[in-house]
């Protein structure tokens, strides 16, 4: 199952756990699974439409997910939620 | 010089003359200020004289009555935005904030904040009329300092602002200037520090600094009676400018066309928009095209500089020089509206090193200064100044060569960052080795008051979306249409990748930067992304052309296309048949007409860029003035497509970093008025201030790009302040922890040290 790294600010929602193995074949599905186990986490990551909130990026296996919540993830994927990167 | 990975290519790694060179050197290239349209009006803006005030009333009647005035607008002429956030490709825009930054609504939040605009038959009438607009203000106390603005009791800029993304249990603490909190943790920080034998903790301050692009912001807009709006402007991203304009005006994005003119510098500062919606509503009111060009003071006072910051950084190491733990706390000025690059600063601060235990905390804080925006590697220069200074002090304490320390602790493939992800193949260590082996580093520095310093830096580089269209002409050339505005020679670096893939000369590609109706969606020129992502799009377009040309050759040879293939600038077929690109191009009309290749890039992400710098300098102990004697930069460019442009980016970034280090800063008085809003008083480096910057192009190809490109435009600005601070310490024994390290500031520290 994909391994999700919980943002430090949200670890109070996961009883202090910093990593979780969560089922799902897309970023959105993984977030849905997280929400089931740890209510309240989805609204911190997603807007009302289920898209990643502005300013939040999913990073899958070290690369920013170009498709955001729709990005497919492999069973051995490593997922992080980080601030969006914008350059000059 | 280059470490030379790109010699295996025919076009890549060469240095052809840039395609737009003649237009640029003859002055024929058209910039925004050159736009002239029939019946065009000229506009001037009224800007706030106060840093913080409530707008109680605006009376434009006297201005509107001036002969020759054709339209007057205020924020009342812009649609209400509601509570909307809009994705812009690279980041998102809070629409109420974007709109009220363009024309202030209920409050002005910095001196220079635009309040109203007048369009008239000429600029003189417009400038006189704008002075007749009467604004009644209720003046409020300004918050100018990032740390003071965080305190309870601070003057509040936005009554509705609450700290976002603080831990869920933190609750609503009421109105605040702290827009956002970031927090990252890895490992056991307390245990890491307890294992450390040397711990250094220091605080740093950096000043507000402007990108200093020479060309001011400009926009000319025509709002046609059919509802179509055309904007000619200087921008780093025509599509982003189109969307921002459409969203502010609340019109369909398809009704706005942005024509990107040549751009006289941007460095991140020309991603946001300030003028197009104002010019557009003036045009709608007057029925005429309207041109707006900022003055230099407007650029300083009212466009987005990079923020000032306060940083506290602590690092612990074992005696053998291995990092055990590190901790950073930082607050960045957002300016008038939330959105500083503190999140990226948090992710950059420890990126150059393998930190087993780390903690990073960052705050985005509103103050009564212009809304900050990107400047080359946003946030990374600030934090590089802090960590690279602390590392230098640690090296001094434990007696280790600073290059050795970086080799021992440098990030490598597989290193897990404190913010979480692991690095793919990156070239941090290679840049340190390049400096360590350079003639510069190996040559002893002698002389009184002279010192040498080194520092490293990191920037992510982004991918995002690009499109190109390439059309084969029957004379054997290719017309290449792209959506990336050309700031650093990217017409040529993109054309070279297309040429390499097709096996033709770079000079046989004619690149054009097109308007938003003439090419596919393309994100901004920023984030060091264009040679990477638009390059991928060009390679994809070339591959599509290859495929079509193979079919054309098969038609001529009456064979199955599968029996032919594109090799080395032509098509090879059965029985030794071969036809070159030019010869085949001549036969396009006979074989079915146009051959057009479209290419896009949307998914590829860059692996990150590193650089290590070495500087020699001399301090005048009587004045505190620093003279840079010698400067060498080693940077991982992945594969250098056009080495001259890579070197140019490296040198340009270093020069801007030297300015940031030694002189540049916004001087504000107690009322929040900038006192040095001219290039005479805002001291940027000149040719008298910098020597020739020696460059070492390190080539560790990025596996995410077909030719291994890494972006090069941003990371060279990161290390200079720290490298210079470290060299100053070596020269006169004074450790500077505040930017800029200007003569009065450095002299004060030298005198203080002498009296100890």
């Amino acid at each position: 199952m994909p391994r999700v790294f919980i943002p430090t600010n949200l670890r109070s929602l996961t009883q202090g756990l910093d990593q979780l193995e969560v089922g799902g074949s897309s970023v959105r599905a993984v977030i849905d699974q997280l929400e089931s186990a740890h209510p309240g986490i989805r609204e911190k990551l997603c807007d009302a439409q289920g898209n990643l909130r502005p300013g939040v990026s999913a990073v899958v296996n070290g690369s920013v997910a170009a498709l955001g919540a729709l990005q497919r993830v492999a069973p051995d994927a490593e997922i992080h939620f980080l601030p969006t990167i914008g350059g000059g | 010089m280059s470490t030379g990975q790109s010699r295996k290519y025919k076009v890549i790694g060469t240095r052809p003359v840039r395609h737009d060179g003649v237009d640029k050197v003859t002055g024929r290239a058209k910039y925004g200020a050159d736009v002239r349209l029939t019946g065009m009006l000229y506009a001037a803006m009224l800007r706030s004289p106060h840093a913080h005030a409530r707008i109680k009333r605006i009376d434009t009647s006297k201005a509107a009555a001036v002969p020759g005035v054709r339209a007057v607008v205020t924020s009342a002429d812009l649609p209400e935005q509601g509570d909307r956030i809009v994705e812009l490709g690279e980041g998102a825009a809070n629409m109420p904030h974007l709109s009220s930054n363009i024309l202030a609504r209920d409050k002005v939040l910095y001196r220079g904040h635009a309040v109203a605009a007048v369009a008239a038959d000429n600029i003189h009438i417009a400038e006189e009329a704008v002075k007749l607009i009467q604004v009644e203000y209720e003046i409020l106390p300004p918050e100018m300092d990032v740390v003071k603005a965080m305190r309870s009791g601070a003057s509040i800029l936005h009554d509705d602002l609450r700290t976002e993304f603080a831990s869920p249990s933190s609750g609503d603490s009421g109105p605040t200037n702290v827009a956002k909190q970031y927090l990252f943790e890895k490992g056991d920080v307390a245990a890491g520090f307890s294992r450390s034998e040397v711990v250094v903790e220091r605080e740093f301050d950096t000043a507000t600094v402007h990108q200093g692009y020479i060309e001011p912001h400009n926009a000319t807009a025509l709002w046609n009676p059919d509802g179509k709006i055309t904007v000619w402007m200087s921008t780093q991203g025509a599509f982003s400018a189109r969307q921002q304009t459409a969203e502010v005006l609340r019109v369909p994005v398809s009704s706005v066309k942005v024509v990107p003119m040549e751009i006289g510098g941007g460095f991140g500062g020309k991603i946001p928009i300030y003028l197009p919606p104002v010019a557009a509503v003036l045009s709608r009111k007057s029925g005429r095209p309207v041109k707006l060009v900022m003055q230099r003071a407007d650029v300083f006072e009212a466009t987005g500089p990079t923020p000032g910051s306060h940083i506290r950084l602590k690092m612990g190491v074992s005696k053998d020089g291995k990092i055990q733990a590190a901790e950073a706390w930082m607050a960045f000025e957002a300016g008038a509206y939330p959105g500083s690059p503190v999140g990226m600063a948090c992710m950059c601060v420890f990126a150059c090193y393998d930190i087993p235990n780390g903690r990073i905390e960052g705050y985005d804080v509103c103050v009564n200064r212009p809304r900050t925006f990107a400047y080359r590697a946003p946030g990374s220069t600030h934090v590089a100044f802090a960590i690279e200074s602390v590392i230098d002090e640690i090296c001094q304490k434990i007696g280790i060569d600073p290059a050795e320390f970086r080799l021992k602790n440098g990030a490598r493939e597989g290193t897990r960052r404190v913010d979480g992800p692991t690095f793919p193949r990156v070239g941090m260590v290679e840049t340190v080795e390049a400096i360590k082996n350079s003639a510069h580093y190996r040559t002893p520095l002698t002389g009184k008051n002279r010192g040498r310093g080194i520092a490293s830096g990191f920037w992510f580089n982004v991918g995002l979306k690009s499109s190109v269209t390439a059309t084969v002409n029957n004379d054997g050339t290719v017309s290449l249409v792209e959506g990336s505005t050309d700031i650093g020679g990217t017409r040529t670096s993109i054309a070279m990748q297309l040429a390499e893939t097709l096996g033709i000369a770079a000079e046989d590609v004619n690149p054009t930067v097109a308007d938003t109706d003439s090419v596919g969606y393309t994100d901004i020129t920023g984030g060091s992304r264009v040679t990477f992502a638009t390059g991928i799009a060009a390679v994809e377009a070339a591959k599509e052309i290859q495929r079509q040309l193979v079919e054309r050759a098969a038609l001529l040879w009456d064979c199955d296309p599968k029996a032919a293939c594109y090799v080395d600038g032509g098509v090879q077929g059965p029985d030794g048949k071969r036809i070159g690109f030019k010869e085949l191009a001549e036969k396009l009309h006979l074989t079915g007409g146009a051959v057009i290749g479209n290419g896009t890039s949307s998914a590829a992400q860059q692996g990150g860029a590193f650089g290590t710098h070495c500087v020699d300098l001399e301090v005048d102990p009587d004045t505190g003035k620093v003279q840079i004697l010698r400067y060498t930069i080693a940077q991982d460019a992945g594969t250098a497509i056009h080495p001259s442009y890579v070197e140019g980016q490296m040198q340009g970034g270093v020069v801007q970093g030297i300015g940031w280090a030694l002189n540049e800063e916004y001087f504000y008085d107690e009322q929040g008025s900038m006192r040095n809003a001219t290039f005479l008083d805002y001291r940027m480096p000149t040719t008298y201030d910098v020597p020739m910057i020696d460059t070492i192009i390190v080539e560790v190809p990025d596996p995410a790009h077909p030719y291994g490109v890494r972006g090069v435009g941003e990371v060279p600005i990161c290390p200079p302040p720290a490298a210079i601070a470290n060299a100053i310490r070596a020269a006169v024994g004074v450790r500077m922890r505040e930017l800029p390290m200007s003569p009065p500031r450095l002299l004060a520290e030298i005198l203080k040290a002498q009296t100890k």
Side-chain angles (χ1 to χ4, degrees), chain B residues 193-207:
Chain B
F193 278 118
S194 69
R195 275 197 302 275
S196 301
E197 290 154 301
V198 175
V199 176
V200 172
E201 182 174 12
R202 299 287 181 255
E203 295 193 34
F204 299 85
D205 290 283
T206 70

Side-chain angles (χ1 to χ4, degrees), chain B residues 239 466-469 481-483 515-523 600:
Chain B
F239 286 86
S466 288
S467 305
V468 307
T469 298
V481 180
E482 56 187 285
D515 64 62
T516 52
D517 282 355
S518 306
V519 67
Y521 179 85
T522 300
D523 278 312
T600 60

Side-chain angles (χ1 to χ4, degrees), chain B residues 552-571:
Chain B
R552 300 299 176 91
L555 192 65
L556 289 171
W557 294 330
D558 194 20
C559 72
D560 186 340
K562 289 179 183 159
C565 61
Y566 197 95
V567 178
D568 201 17
V571 181

Side-chain angles (χ1 to χ4, degrees), chain A residues 2-88:
Chain A
R3 188 156 58 122
V4 182
F5 285 68
I6 307 299
T8 309
N9 272 333
L10 301 185
R11 289 177 193 165
S12 61
L13 296 170
T14 59
Q15 292 74 53
L17 295 172
D18 61 352
Q19 299 176 34
L20 289 165
E21 292 203 340
V22 182
S25 58
S26 68
V27 170
R28 178 177 286 173
V30 165
I31 293 172
D32 287 345
Q33 290 290 313
L34 271 178
E35 176 69 15
S36 299
H38 305 284
I41 205 163
R42 182 166 49 203
E43 70 162 345
K44 294 291 179 185
L45 299 173
C46 298
D47 63 17
Q49 287 73 45
N51 301 313
L52 291 175
R53 288 168 69 104
V56 176
S57 293
V59 175
V60 179
N61 294 334
S63 290
V64 175
L67 297 177
L70 299 179
Q71 187 83 28
R72 307 293 290 176
V73 294
D76 61 348
E78 181 180 301
I79 304 170
H80 298 262
F81 296 101
L82 295 175
T84 300
I85 298 163

Side-chain angles (χ1 to χ4, degrees), chain A residues 85-88, chain B residues 90 236 267-268 271 344 374-378 459-464 487 524-533 606 609 710-715:
Chain A
I85 298 163
Chain B
E90 194 203 52
Q236 288 181 239
F267 313 108
I271 299 169
M344 293 178 281
Y375 181 19
R376 274 185 151 148
W459 179 245
F460 297 97
N461 294 344
V462 301
L464 301 177
I487 303 181
I524 59 157
T525 296
S528 304
R529 61 172 292 277
V530 171
T531 299
F532 175 87
Q606 300 194 62
R710 292 182 199 272
V712 295
E714 293 175 284
V715 77

Side-chain angles (χ1 to χ4, degrees), chain B residues 688-742:
Chain B
Y688 295 110
D689 298 307
V690 291
M692 184 66 186
I693 311 293
D694 294 321
T695 58
I696 304 171
I697 301 174
V698 176
E699 294 189 297
V700 180
D702 188 335
H705 184 280
Y707 294 118
V709 168
R710 292 182 199 272
V712 295
E714 293 175 284
V715 77
I717 202 173
C718 304
I724 290 168
N726 296 342
I728 289 172
R729 203 284 314 158
V732 291
V734 167
R735 174 68 65 183
M736 298 298 290
R737 299 193 182 93
E738 183 177 3
L739 296 183
M741 299 172 282
S742 53

Side-chain angles (χ1 to χ4, degrees), chain B residues 71-93:
Chain B
V72 183
V73 297
T74 67
S75 62
D77 295 283
L78 296 179
E80 289 287 343
Q81 295 298 320
D83 185 17
R84 297 195 304 139
I85 295 178
V86 173
E87 281 292 345
L88 297 173
E90 194 203 52

